[in-house]
Amino acid sequence: MFDFDGVLIDTLILSYEISLEVNEGVNLSEYKDRFHGNIIESLKEHDGTFNSHPEFFKKYTAGARELKIPTGLLKVLEDLKNKDDVFLAIVSSTPSQYIKDILEREKASNYFRDIFGSDVNKSKVIKINSLLEKYDIKPDDAVFITDTVGDIKEARECNVKSIAVAWGFHERERLESVNPLKIVDNPTELMDVIVDVIK
């Protein structure tokens, strides 16, 4: 299972700049703090210190037109798709259709059997468990590739291992604080680490 934003496409600065329009003075580190738990729950539990942009995904769609899935990651996805004992899915807090549109543009839509975005459920715990149940997969046979502390915590609630990538929303130091199974620093390392975890 792959997270989308920050893992497959680099949306950190785009998302931050959109949020900054309604959160004047919030620095990048404070914005990253919102992802220490489930981001949707974080926004719902509005405490007066951070606002959800009413047109976030309209602006996201426009900005994401310029973003690409790095070649190295596309190669990893292709290699994983071609393995007999592996199938790929996306679990994300972005609506599924936005993800599908980007994957189609990047010619990567056929790599994923399923996409569980925010329209499916807000909780990644529920989405991960639903995927496991749908495809009759044991938690030990699954792995979640993600870039945030909050996602690692949610995967752990499902007894699913996490591989963290240090090129997304959270840097290595934050990721280390919640002890994912592995942390990788660039896409070229990812394939070997995934294969080692799921073998």
Side-chain angles (χ1 to χ4, degrees):
M1 291 173 281
F2 279 81
D3 183 30
F4 187 70
D5 290 278
V7 176
L8 297 181
I9 61 168
D10 183 7
T11 54
L12 172 60
I13 298 305
L14 169 64
S15 299
Y16 171 59
E17 288 179 348
I18 295 170
S19 294
L20 203 56
E21 293 179 10
V22 292
N23 293 283
E24 187 176 348
V26 172
N27 64 40
L28 184 57
S29 180
E30 290 168 333
Y31 178 69
K32 289 180 178 182
D33 289 345
R34 309 304 298 194
F35 296 85
H36 280 223
N38 180 289
I39 183 59
I40 295 174
E41 290 301 317
S42 175
L43 292 172
K44 192 168 70 175
E45 294 165 4
H46 179 61
D47 58 5
T49 64
F50 195 86
N51 300 301
S52 178
H53 197 298
E55 295 188 321
F56 181 89
F57 282 109
K58 178 180 178 182
K59 290 175 176 285
Y60 172 100
T61 301
R65 290 192 190 113
E66 308 299 320
L67 301 176
K68 302 282 185 187
I69 300 174
T71 303
L73 272 175
L74 283 171
K75 181 66 166 65
V76 169
L77 296 176
E78 182 178 3
D79 289 347
L80 286 169
K81 179 185 178 290
N82 290 330
K83 289 181 70 65
D84 290 337
D85 55 346
V86 172
F87 84 84
L88 306 180
I90 289 176
V91 175
S92 174
S93 295
T94 294
S96 301
Q97 191 58 53
Y98 291 96
I99 297 169
K100 290 175 184 175
D101 290 345
I102 292 171
L103 291 177
E104 285 174 12
R105 186 194 71 206
E106 292 292 283
K107 298 179 172 54
S109 57
N110 67 325
Y111 295 156
F112 296 95
R113 191 180 299 183
D114 230 327
I115 298 171
F116 278 22
S118 61
D119 49 299
V120 174
N121 201 283
K122 308 305 182 192
S123 164
K124 287 187 180 176
V125 172
I126 291 173
K127 286 182 280 197
I128 290 170
N129 281 330
S130 296
L131 268 170
L132 297 178
E133 183 177 350
K134 180 177 180 179
Y135 294 101
D136 193 24
I137 296 169
K138 297 175 182 175
D140 281 349
D141 294 329
V143 64
F144 190 33
I145 294 93
T146 186
D147 65 322
T148 67
V149 165
D151 282 0
I152 294 166
K153 291 177 180 176
E154 289 196 86
R156 188 167 288 144
E157 283 190 54
C158 306
N159 297 311
V160 168
K161 301 177 287 285
S162 292
I163 297 171
V165 302
W167 59 77
F169 278 51
H170 284 166
E171 61 280 4
R172 177 175 272 273
E173 184 179 4
R174 289 180 193 249
L175 298 169
E176 286 174 344
S177 71
V178 286
N179 298 309
L181 188 65
K182 299 274 187 181
I183 301 176
V184 296
D185 294 300
N186 61 73
T188 59
E189 304 171 43
L190 190 53
M191 184 65 180
D192 288 342
V193 172
I194 291 172
V195 169
D196 185 55
V197 168
I198 62 177
K199 68 182 180 183

